[in-house]
Amino acid sequence: MIIAIDGPAAAGKGTLARKLAQHYGLSYLDTGSLYRAVGCALLDAGIDPHDAKAAAAAARNLDLANIDAGNLRTAEAGEAASVVSANTQVREALLRFQRNFASREGGAVLDGRDIGTIVAPDADIKLFVTASAGERARRRWLELKGLGEDVDEARIRSEIEKRDARDQSRASAPLKMAEDAHLLDTTKLDIEAAFHMAVSLIDDARDGGVSA
Ligand code: C5P
């Protein structure tokens, strides 16, 4: 079974995807970490993420199977990821790895922005996870604070909104809900409630004849 999870920044996709992977015994790929790794490789080398040629080269040279996601969660990495992710050559360089991961034996859960539309359009289940901008900003603020970053919640909100607008309006694989995705609004749900709702959507879809 392939589960595709998409949605805007800080909607709770990652936590949900991890729990679903564990519940169904599937492998998990956080595709945002690939874009964050490209962005960080450039920042570490002192290169502007808007440098299209350098970004494409960084994406091609990354060891995608061995990315240390732990160092990539900063606000700066998220911003750099959003810039490089609009680069078509960067997306192309990362696509095959994601498709191979999705089709691995035993099944997989992937989360990102274009999983249900581009990476795994034939996924068995597609979830589009969202929440209000205010709630997403609050969650990202708590996450960054937990990482020791001294950040202002209003600034986080404006950065998230800017990032979502960029992700939705780019020409290459923009963030959008696949036509056959299930919408899951987590604004008023904690992670356990979102998880239970996702499990019931998935189990209903499987019982309805979708192959596992
Ligand atoms: O999900 P996360 O915040 O880690 O993603 C960082 C950025 O990477 C997003 O804002 C988006 O621009 C980009 N991204 C993407 N396609 C994906 C996953 C992430 O464009 N499948």
Side-chain angles (χ1 to χ4, degrees):
M1 173 166 70
I2 301 174
I3 302 177
I5 303 183
D6 290 302
K13 303 184 298 291
T15 314
L16 179 64
R18 247 176 238 109
K19 281 178 79 73
L20 290 173
Q22 198 179 22
H23 180 76
Y24 291 106
L26 304 169
S27 302
Y28 166 58
L29 180 64
D30 162 12
T31 66
S33 70
L34 308 179
Y35 294 92
R36 286 171 180 265
V38 175
C40 283
L42 295 167
L43 295 178
D44 288 350
I47 300 170
D48 182 346
H50 290 94
D51 182 333
K53 238 173 129 180
R60 286 188 205 107
N61 292 330
L62 266 187
D63 180 4
L64 298 176
N66 290 304
I67 283 173
D68 178 5
N71 298 324
L72 304 173
R73 299 300 308 168
T74 64
E76 203 189 9
E79 180 62 20
S82 174
V83 171
V84 300
S85 72
N87 179 323
T88 307
Q89 288 180 37
V90 167
R91 302 202 75 85
E92 273 169 18
L94 303 181
L95 186 57
R96 188 182 307 157
F97 175 79
Q98 296 175 79
R99 285 200 169 143
N100 286 343
F101 193 99
S103 59
R104 62 168 49 193
E105 214 174 301
V109 181
L110 291 87
D111 77 56
R113 304 294 187 287
D114 62 340
I115 310 303
T117 51
I118 307 284
V119 174
D122 297 328
D124 300 282
I125 309 287
K126 299 178 186 178
L127 300 177
F128 193 84
V129 181
T130 189
S132 70
E135 178 58 18
R136 291 186 291 114
R138 192 186 68 83
R139 291 177 191 167
R140 182 51 54 87
W141 177 70
L142 283 172
E143 181 192 5
L144 293 173
K145 222 168 76 151
L147 291 172
E149 279 200 54
D150 180 19
V151 283
D152 173 55
E153 193 173 340
R155 212 187 96 207
I156 294 288
R157 178 170 175 158
S158 100
E159 283 173 5
I160 277 187
E161 287 177 332
K162 201 172 91 195
R163 194 136 73 84
D164 290 342
R166 194 190 285 138
D167 290 346
Q168 282 160 357
S169 64
R170 68 182 174 223
S172 183
L175 165 66
K176 68 169 185 226
M177 183 168 153
E179 279 177 14
D180 50 350
H182 300 271
L183 180 66
L184 187 55
D185 186 335
T186 69
T187 306
K188 296 202 169 99
L189 302 179
D190 64 14
I191 180 57
E192 284 307 320
F195 171 68
H196 288 300
M197 202 165 268
V199 166
S200 89
L201 282 171
I202 293 167
D203 290 347
D204 283 354
R206 290 169 107 194
D207 291 346
V210 180
S211 64

